[in-house]
Amino acid sequence: MNLIPILAPLLHNISEWLLVASLKTIPLIACVLILQRLFRKQLSAASAHLLWLSVLVSLSIPFGWDMHINRFAANNSSPVISSEQNTEIINTPIFQQQIAVPNEIFSPEINSESKDATSSLDVSTKLLSQDYRFVLACIWLSGVIFLLGLTVVSMFRFQRIKANSSAATTDLLNLFYVCKMEMGLNKSIQLLFTHEIQSPITLGWLSPAVVLPKNIELQLSSENLKHVLLHELGHIKRHDIFFNWLACLINILHWFNPIVWLAFKRMRMDMEIACDALVLSHLDQSQRKNYGATLIEISEIPRVSCRAITTLGILENHTDLKERLKMIKEFTTMNIKNTVLFGIILMATAITSLAQPAAAPATKPTAIVESKTAKHSESTITLQEFSAIAEKDLKIKVLVGQDDAARKIPFSPSSQPLTYGQLLTQLKINLFTAYKSKDYIQIVKIDDARYLSIPTVEKNGTYYDDEIVTDYFKMEKACAEQILIATRPLVPQYGHLSTYADSRTIIIVDTYGNIQRIRGAIRAIEDNIDKPMDCNPKTQIGKK
């Protein structure tokens, strides 16, 4: 079974929505950065970090309220609408928006050779554009798979480091217990040592652990170690590990947008600053200056191993150190007035994050839509052009005879790829059908189908309702000749119905859907027969 026609529309819709979500979030990212800058003295470090939640929502939630980006233009223009110039107004969710195709491409009024050539060129351009978008969607998916692979490898690497780490010393475990009590944490948290890292890290969401370098007790004083442990426990108390994982996965989905990468980097720094603020809230005024000195000492420890994006530590990189020391110097807590201000800002960003761009104003004149629908139903293309569309969508060669290639058929363009079932239905209403071989699909007149190599219905086979097939009926009670008389009116002229005089078997050539209808009628007839009838012609003659 070919999964490309099924997966291609889904892949295209997902990548298309992610592109729109990524682009519409760029102004929100700028807004968050501006708000943090304007209200840096009023907002706490934790509040500034929490504003990034609206960015994550905007990048990951595929629903919300419609933002009509063309409303201003619509209110400032009054075009004259005529029956010949109708514009369809679409107000659908992003997953259902269709590609707008000018009516002139498929207009039935086009009779000249020059306009036919233009129509063919436009159809080819549309097909190429669909392939172009599919290629881009595949590139996006490849990037996602690659980054997910790197993340999973990194995750398993640090899980291996955790598994191979040794338990901390008794003195350090006692200090760790004191720090847990100060942070108000009662959950089980491991404290481990390893020689594979040079800087403390915290990992694990459901089963968190703090992993320290092997010789950190020789490099830092007891007070510095306490600051380190408080910081790592602060990440656990704030649930930063879960928040970081969520941001990491969203960043992978939007890997093509460099603005999202920059926002994610700033988000990580704000997370560390917020964790610093939590530690400072548990320290005396005299100890806060020493906490800054601890950060400086940690920054001077040479680092060889790389940091995984899914782990957290007391010092992400040296470039963030200046911002964190500045926050320590200016550390304050929010009062009631600033808390109310933060609530207003957070609500405004949350509402903005749920905005989904709509293509046009919500109102649409009924008369215009009806006229547009009627015109779409009158649009026509040649059978050769239709076979080209089917060939692109079904990814298989579609053949049509020369005598029928120029035949005009009605067609309504759509952004969704054509399926084989839709192909058969479109052809049937125009007195054509198709049969599939291994390497190609052949379009033929429906009257000629019974003479071709059409499939025979098998017990566990799958067939489309408008697919021409051959089937055999074996009656249990009724005679085939009598059933033939009763069911012949149900078979169209292009079909075939026959039987053997001395058997109970009927042979029928018709669409699979109509054959199922006839099968149901035969079953109803046999249900009203008490016992099997004598269908032997010689016996019947003797009785006469």
Side-chain angles (χ1 to χ4, degrees):
M1 181 179 179
N2 190 3
L3 295 178
I4 293 180
I6 300 174
L7 296 180
L10 178 62
L11 179 61
H12 173 261
N13 285 337
I14 293 176
S15 60
E16 183 182 55
W17 175 82
L18 283 171
L19 176 61
V20 174
S22 190
L23 294 178
K24 78 180 179 66
T25 306
I26 293 177
L28 182 60
I29 293 173
C31 181
V32 169
L33 293 173
I34 292 173
L35 289 172
Q36 288 180 339
R37 184 74 176 176
L38 290 177
F39 300 101
R40 64 183 182 276
K41 294 183 178 180
Q42 288 79 18
L43 299 181
S44 65
S47 300
H49 175 247
L50 194 59
L51 289 178
W52 289 109
L53 186 61
S54 61
V55 173
L56 297 183
V57 170
S58 181
L59 290 170
S60 58
I61 303 298
F63 55 83
W65 57 275
D66 287 343
M67 179 178 63
H68 301 286
I69 57 179
N70 295 331
R71 186 183 297 276
F72 179 80
N75 291 338
N76 289 276
S77 60
S78 301
V80 178
I81 301 173
S82 64
S83 59
E84 296 181 358
Q85 293 178 337
N86 293 329
T87 303
E88 184 176 12
I89 299 176
I90 306 173
N91 183 26
T92 57
I94 188 68
F95 281 118
Q96 299 176 0
Q97 289 184 6
Q98 302 295 319
I99 299 174
V101 180
N103 291 336
E104 289 77 11
I105 293 179
F106 301 106
S107 175
E109 300 174 358
I110 297 177
N111 296 318
S112 65
E113 294 182 359
S114 61
K115 290 187 177 181
D116 282 339
T118 303
S119 177
S120 301
L121 179 61
D122 289 338
V123 171
S124 301
T125 303
K126 176 176 178 289
L127 294 172
L128 289 174
S129 66
Q130 288 179 343
D131 285 350
Y132 176 71
R133 290 194 301 273
F134 179 70
V135 170
L136 290 181
C138 290
I139 293 174
W140 164 80
L141 182 61
S142 300
V144 170
I145 294 174
F146 175 73
L147 292 175
L148 278 177
L150 291 181
T151 303
V152 170
V153 169
S154 177
M155 180 189 69
F156 279 110
R157 173 176 174 267
F158 278 87
Q159 287 297 325
R160 179 185 58 79
I161 291 176
K162 177 183 175 182
N164 296 334
S165 299
S166 57
T169 61
T170 304
D171 293 340
L172 201 56
L173 285 174
N174 291 335
L175 179 60
F176 189 60
Y177 177 79
V178 171
C179 294
K180 285 177 60 179
M181 293 301 101
E182 291 186 10
M183 278 290 178
L185 288 171
N186 295 321
K187 64 188 302 183
S188 176
I189 304 172
Q190 291 180 289
L191 180 63
L192 304 171
F193 274 139
T194 181
H195 63 277
E196 297 187 55
I197 60 173
Q198 287 76 42
S199 181
I201 60 171
T202 299
L203 52 86
W205 172 41
L206 298 177
S207 180
V210 176
V211 185
L212 303 177
K214 192 70 173 178
N215 299 321
I216 194 170
E217 292 176 296
L218 303 177
Q219 298 171 316
L220 300 177
S221 65
S222 177
E223 184 181 22
N224 294 148
L225 282 174
K226 181 179 180 181
H227 293 162
V228 170
L229 295 176
L230 285 174
H231 183 92
E232 303 303 331
L233 291 173
H235 281 308
I236 297 174
K237 184 173 183 178
R238 284 172 34 84
H239 304 286
D240 284 341
I241 301 175
F242 170 76
F243 190 91
N244 188 63
W245 262 106
L246 180 64
C248 176
L249 294 177
I250 294 174
N251 188 40
I252 289 175
L253 292 177
H254 295 267
W255 64 266
F256 53 87
N257 190 343
I259 305 299
V260 173
W261 284 92
L262 294 175
F264 179 67
K265 181 180 179 181
R266 178 70 196 190
M267 199 183 308
R268 293 265 298 191
M269 187 181 73
D270 287 342
M271 180 187 294
E272 293 298 330
I273 293 176
C275 190
D276 289 337
L278 177 62
V279 175
L280 293 178
S281 66
H282 289 80
L283 297 177
D284 297 334
Q285 186 71 32
S286 59
Q287 295 178 323
R288 291 173 183 173
K289 184 177 180 181
N290 295 337
Y291 180 76
T294 299
L295 294 181
I296 295 175
E297 288 194 39
I298 292 291
S299 68
E300 293 175 352
I301 298 176
R303 181 179 300 171
V304 178
S305 61
C306 59
R307 169 64 53 81
I309 199 171
T310 55
T311 63
L312 297 172
I314 189 171
L315 190 65
E316 291 292 313
N317 54 68
H318 293 173
T319 58
D320 298 340
L321 184 60
K322 183 178 178 180
E323 288 278 345
R324 296 173 66 177
L325 293 176
K326 184 178 179 181
M327 187 281 301
I328 294 172
K329 182 180 179 181
E330 301 174 352
F331 173 72
T332 57
T333 56
M334 289 199 307
N335 54 31
I336 297 178
K337 180 181 177 180
N338 292 339
T339 302
V340 173
L341 175 63
F342 167 69
I344 296 173
I345 294 175
L346 183 62
M347 185 179 299
T349 56
I351 293 173
T352 305
S353 68
L354 292 174
Q356 300 291 341
T363 58
K364 53 181 179 180
T366 305
I368 294 178
V369 176
E370 290 177 354
S371 176
K372 180 70 175 180
T373 304
K375 196 163 186 178
H376 267 193
S377 63
E378 296 174 358
S379 300
T380 61
I381 60 175
T382 65
L383 198 59
Q384 182 65 48
E385 293 169 343
F386 179 71
S387 67
I389 295 174
E391 187 170 308
K392 290 290 184 180
D393 290 346
L394 299 176
K395 310 300 181 185
I396 187 174
K397 189 70 175 178
V398 179
L399 305 177
V400 59
Q402 277 189 334
D403 295 339
D404 302 320
R407 169 77 178 271
K408 294 276 188 176
I409 62 171
F411 180 71
S412 298
S414 172
S415 63
Q416 301 298 325
L418 192 71
T419 64
Y420 186 60
Q422 293 170 342
L423 168 71
L424 293 171
T425 302
Q426 182 74 35
L427 292 173
K428 180 187 172 185
I429 63 178
N430 291 282
L431 302 181
F432 282 87
T433 189
Y435 68 93
K436 185 186 295 186
S437 70
K438 182 179 179 181
D439 301 320
Y440 63 89
I441 295 174
Q442 176 70 49
I443 296 178
V444 297
K445 292 179 180 178
I446 201 167
D447 292 334
D448 299 334
R450 57 184 174 180
Y451 306 119
L452 302 173
S453 56
I454 58 177
T456 301
V457 175
E458 298 179 357
K459 184 176 181 181
N460 297 322
T462 301
Y463 306 93
Y464 296 94
D465 285 344
D466 291 325
E467 185 174 4
I468 303 293
V469 296
T470 301
D471 202 357
Y472 300 86
F473 294 159
K474 180 72 174 180
M475 266 67 66
E476 297 179 358
K477 300 177 183 179
C479 295
E481 289 187 349
Q482 295 173 341
I483 293 296
L484 190 68
I485 296 173
T487 57
R488 189 180 295 277
L490 302 179
V491 180
Q493 292 183 355
Y494 58 77
H496 171 76
L497 188 65
S498 63
T499 183
Y500 294 106
D502 57 348
S503 72
R504 299 180 186 272
T505 302
I506 286 180
I507 304 174
I508 183 170
V509 177
D510 200 351
T511 61
Y512 181 75
N514 196 44
I515 289 177
Q516 300 312 304
R517 180 173 72 107
I518 296 173
R519 185 184 291 275
I522 295 175
R523 190 180 298 111
I525 293 173
E526 290 211 304
D527 288 343
N528 293 320
I529 300 177
D530 296 333
K531 59 181 181 178
M533 301 174 63
D534 186 2
C535 300
N536 192 326
K538 295 181 180 180
T539 304
Q540 293 177 358
I541 293 174
K543 290 181 179 179
K544 292 180 181 179

XYZ file of all heavy atoms in Angstrom, residues 464-503:
322
model
N -12.476 0.234 -4.274
C -13.206 1.489 -4.190
C -14.617 1.302 -4.763
O -14.832 0.471 -5.655
C -12.475 2.590 -4.952
C -11.130 2.929 -4.374
C -9.964 2.318 -4.856
C -11.013 3.843 -3.337
C -8.726 2.626 -4.315
C -9.764 4.152 -2.796
C -8.624 3.541 -3.286
O -7.411 3.839 -2.749
N -15.563 2.082 -4.277
C -16.957 1.935 -4.715
C -17.117 2.153 -6.215
O -17.951 1.509 -6.849
C -17.855 2.911 -3.949
C -18.114 2.462 -2.518
O -17.856 1.277 -2.221
O -18.570 3.280 -1.700
N -16.330 3.068 -6.806
C -16.462 3.362 -8.228
C -15.453 2.605 -9.080
O -15.248 2.938 -10.249
C -16.300 4.865 -8.458
C -17.471 5.651 -7.895
O -18.606 5.137 -7.953
O -17.265 6.768 -7.385
N -14.824 1.573 -8.523
C -13.860 0.768 -9.273
C -14.586 -0.350 -10.010
O -15.400 -1.082 -9.436
C -12.822 0.184 -8.318
C -11.709 -0.573 -8.999
C -10.634 -1.008 -8.015
O -10.811 -0.773 -6.808
O -9.616 -1.571 -8.471
N -14.327 -0.489 -11.334
C -14.934 -1.549 -12.142
C -14.241 -2.872 -11.817
O -13.019 -2.988 -11.938
C -14.820 -1.239 -13.635
C -15.472 0.103 -13.964
C -15.470 -2.343 -14.453
C -16.959 0.127 -13.778
N -15.026 -3.885 -11.412
C -14.479 -5.186 -11.031
C -15.360 -6.293 -11.599
O -16.486 -6.057 -12.053
C -14.388 -5.327 -9.485
C -13.421 -4.321 -8.901
C -15.766 -5.167 -8.849
N -14.845 -7.515 -11.541
C -15.596 -8.717 -11.918
C -15.874 -9.525 -10.654
O -14.973 -9.730 -9.843
C -14.802 -9.565 -12.914
O -14.524 -8.792 -14.075
C -15.586 -10.815 -13.308
N -17.130 -9.997 -10.516
C -17.484 -10.758 -9.320
C -18.344 -11.955 -9.715
O -18.959 -11.976 -10.797
C -18.235 -9.867 -8.329
C -18.147 -10.404 -6.900
O -17.546 -11.487 -6.709
O -18.669 -9.749 -5.987
N -18.380 -12.956 -8.839
C -19.151 -14.178 -9.068
C -20.087 -14.386 -7.885
O -19.680 -14.277 -6.728
C -18.222 -15.396 -9.208
C -17.239 -15.287 -10.347
C -16.015 -14.644 -10.172
C -17.539 -15.826 -11.597
C -15.105 -14.546 -11.211
C -16.629 -15.737 -12.641
C -15.421 -15.093 -12.441
O -14.530 -15.004 -13.472
N -21.370 -14.699 -8.182
C -22.349 -14.983 -7.134
C -22.736 -16.460 -7.202
O -23.056 -16.979 -8.279
C -23.625 -14.149 -7.317
C -23.400 -12.675 -7.134
C -24.287 -11.762 -7.666
C -22.311 -12.211 -6.419
C -24.080 -10.403 -7.504
C -22.100 -10.869 -6.247
C -22.980 -9.953 -6.790
N -22.703 -17.110 -6.080
C -23.129 -18.499 -6.004
C -24.390 -18.545 -5.158
O -24.361 -18.323 -3.949
C -22.031 -19.366 -5.368
C -22.390 -20.837 -5.240
C -22.400 -21.537 -6.583
C -22.618 -23.040 -6.428
N -22.624 -23.741 -7.720
N -25.566 -18.824 -5.814
C -26.827 -18.895 -5.085
C -26.943 -20.209 -4.329
O -26.448 -21.237 -4.771
C -28.012 -18.730 -6.047
C -28.504 -17.309 -6.170
S -27.290 -16.226 -6.961
C -27.258 -16.917 -8.596
N -27.604 -20.154 -3.203
C -27.825 -21.360 -2.390
C -29.194 -21.973 -2.643
O -29.354 -23.192 -2.580
C -27.678 -21.020 -0.913
C -26.288 -20.537 -0.537
C -26.199 -20.178 0.934
O -27.230 -20.268 1.634
O -25.103 -19.798 1.392
N -30.197 -21.152 -2.938
C -31.560 -21.644 -3.105
C -32.126 -21.307 -4.479
O -32.775 -22.135 -5.110
C -32.473 -21.054 -2.021
C -32.045 -21.392 -0.600
C -32.957 -20.706 0.402
C -32.507 -20.965 1.835
N -33.379 -20.279 2.820
N -31.939 -20.072 -4.925
C -32.556 -19.614 -6.175
C -31.781 -20.096 -7.386
O -30.595 -20.443 -7.296
C -32.635 -18.088 -6.172
N -32.460 -20.106 -8.529
C -31.816 -20.451 -9.796
C -31.205 -19.204 -10.410
O -31.767 -18.109 -10.314
C -32.846 -21.042 -10.764
S -33.530 -22.629 -10.200
N -30.062 -19.396 -11.072
C -29.326 -18.260 -11.609
C -30.120 -17.526 -12.668
O -30.113 -16.299 -12.741
C -27.994 -18.732 -12.181
N -30.885 -18.278 -13.545
C -31.634 -17.634 -14.612
C -32.728 -16.740 -14.044
O -32.991 -15.650 -14.557
C -32.240 -18.701 -15.541
C -31.192 -19.405 -16.399
C -31.845 -20.325 -17.421
O -33.070 -20.550 -17.299
O -31.133 -20.781 -18.327
N -33.379 -17.183 -12.984
C -34.434 -16.370 -12.387
C -33.849 -15.121 -11.719
O -34.415 -14.027 -11.812
C -35.206 -17.204 -11.360
C -35.952 -18.372 -11.998
C -36.574 -19.291 -10.954
O -36.172 -19.270 -9.805
N -37.540 -20.103 -11.386
N -32.728 -15.272 -11.049
C -32.056 -14.125 -10.425
C -31.567 -13.159 -11.503
O -31.598 -11.937 -11.342
C -30.879 -14.590 -9.559
C -31.401 -15.385 -8.350
C -30.038 -13.415 -9.083
C -32.252 -14.579 -7.401
N -31.127 -13.719 -12.644
C -30.659 -12.888 -13.745
C -31.760 -11.955 -14.236
O -31.531 -10.773 -14.494
C -30.168 -13.788 -14.881
C -29.432 -13.101 -16.033
C -28.109 -12.564 -15.556
C -29.245 -14.080 -17.188
N -32.972 -12.471 -14.345
C -34.103 -11.654 -14.807
C -34.405 -10.544 -13.803
O -34.687 -9.406 -14.179
C -35.341 -12.551 -15.022
C -35.061 -13.567 -16.147
C -36.562 -11.706 -15.344
C -36.159 -14.599 -16.301
N -34.293 -10.858 -12.508
C -34.651 -9.885 -11.473
C -33.599 -8.800 -11.299
O -33.924 -7.649 -10.955
C -34.870 -10.608 -10.139
N -32.327 -9.126 -11.542
C -31.250 -8.168 -11.256
C -30.730 -7.433 -12.487
O -29.982 -6.468 -12.341
C -30.066 -8.898 -10.596
O -29.627 -9.960 -11.458
C -30.457 -9.461 -9.242
N -31.119 -7.869 -13.703
C -30.601 -7.225 -14.902
C -30.907 -5.727 -14.941
O -30.043 -4.921 -15.354
C -31.148 -7.912 -16.168
C -30.473 -7.411 -17.445
C -31.048 -8.130 -18.660
N -30.748 -9.539 -18.650
C -29.607 -10.065 -19.070
N -28.638 -9.266 -19.495
N -29.425 -11.364 -19.047
N -32.083 -5.263 -14.521
C -32.341 -3.810 -14.540
C -31.426 -3.013 -13.596
O -31.320 -1.789 -13.741
C -33.805 -3.702 -14.078
C -34.404 -5.030 -14.406
C -33.312 -6.021 -14.170
N -30.797 -3.677 -12.639
C -29.931 -2.981 -11.703
C -28.530 -2.738 -12.268
O -27.746 -1.984 -11.675
C -29.805 -3.779 -10.396
C -31.116 -4.076 -9.652
C -30.824 -4.889 -8.403
C -31.832 -2.782 -9.293
N -28.197 -3.385 -13.386
C -26.865 -3.264 -13.979
C -26.904 -2.218 -15.089
O -27.758 -2.297 -15.974
C -26.379 -4.620 -14.537
C -24.999 -4.491 -15.155
C -26.361 -5.663 -13.424
N -26.025 -1.219 -15.077
C -26.028 -0.195 -16.124
C -25.583 -0.768 -17.466
O -25.118 -1.906 -17.558
C -25.027 0.841 -15.594
C -24.144 0.077 -14.672
C -24.999 -0.969 -14.047
N -25.698 0.056 -18.519
C -25.393 -0.410 -19.861
C -23.936 -0.807 -20.031
O -23.615 -1.700 -20.810
C -25.751 0.674 -20.885
C -27.251 0.922 -21.002
C -27.577 1.949 -22.061
O -26.679 2.549 -22.639
N -28.868 2.147 -22.320
N -23.029 -0.129 -19.303
C -21.615 -0.463 -19.452
C -21.232 -1.720 -18.679
O -20.121 -2.211 -18.800
C -20.732 0.707 -19.005
C -20.947 1.156 -17.574
C -20.424 0.439 -16.508
C -21.681 2.304 -17.300
C -20.626 0.842 -15.202
C -21.884 2.723 -15.994
C -21.355 1.997 -14.945
O -21.557 2.402 -13.659
N -22.143 -2.256 -17.865
C -21.872 -3.454 -17.088
C -22.169 -4.728 -17.869
O -22.557 -4.705 -19.040
N -22.024 -5.851 -17.208
C -22.248 -7.153 -17.853
C -22.813 -8.108 -16.807
O -22.357 -8.143 -15.655
C -20.937 -7.710 -18.420
C -21.058 -9.122 -18.902
N -21.666 -9.451 -20.100
C -20.659 -10.302 -18.341
C -21.648 -10.761 -20.252
N -21.031 -11.307 -19.214
N -23.811 -8.901 -17.228
C -24.447 -9.866 -16.326
C -24.762 -11.118 -17.127
O -25.439 -11.058 -18.159
C -25.740 -9.280 -15.736
C -26.426 -10.088 -14.639
C -25.546 -10.161 -13.399
C -27.758 -9.448 -14.272
N -24.273 -12.291 -16.681
C -24.505 -13.541 -17.399
C -24.494 -14.697 -16.415
O -24.108 -14.547 -15.250
C -23.435 -13.749 -18.488
O -22.156 -13.855 -17.886
N -24.914 -15.900 -16.913
C -24.960 -17.091 -16.066
C -24.882 -18.331 -16.944
O -24.963 -18.265 -18.177
C -26.253 -17.117 -15.241
O -26.219 -18.250 -14.374
C -27.473 -17.210 -16.140
N -24.743 -19.483 -16.265
C -24.820 -20.772 -16.934
C -26.193 -21.358 -16.676
O -26.730 -21.255 -15.552
C -23.738 -21.721 -16.416
C -22.336 -21.293 -16.759
C -21.494 -20.753 -15.811
C -21.859 -21.452 -18.070
C -20.213 -20.354 -16.120
C -20.570 -21.063 -18.392
C -19.753 -20.519 -17.414
O -18.484 -20.119 -17.732
N -26.746 -22.020 -17.698
C -28.116 -22.537 -17.563
C -28.216 -23.637 -16.522
O -29.258 -23.832 -15.905
C -28.614 -23.051 -18.921
N -27.148 -24.425 -16.315
C -27.211 -25.562 -15.400
C -26.471 -25.291 -14.099
O -25.941 -26.206 -13.471
C -26.622 -26.812 -16.066
C -25.188 -26.570 -16.514
O -24.765 -25.391 -16.504
O -24.503 -27.552 -16.853
N -26.406 -24.046 -13.696
C -25.694 -23.735 -12.451
C -26.427 -22.654 -11.680
O -27.413 -22.084 -12.157
C -24.269 -23.275 -12.759
O -24.304 -21.984 -13.332
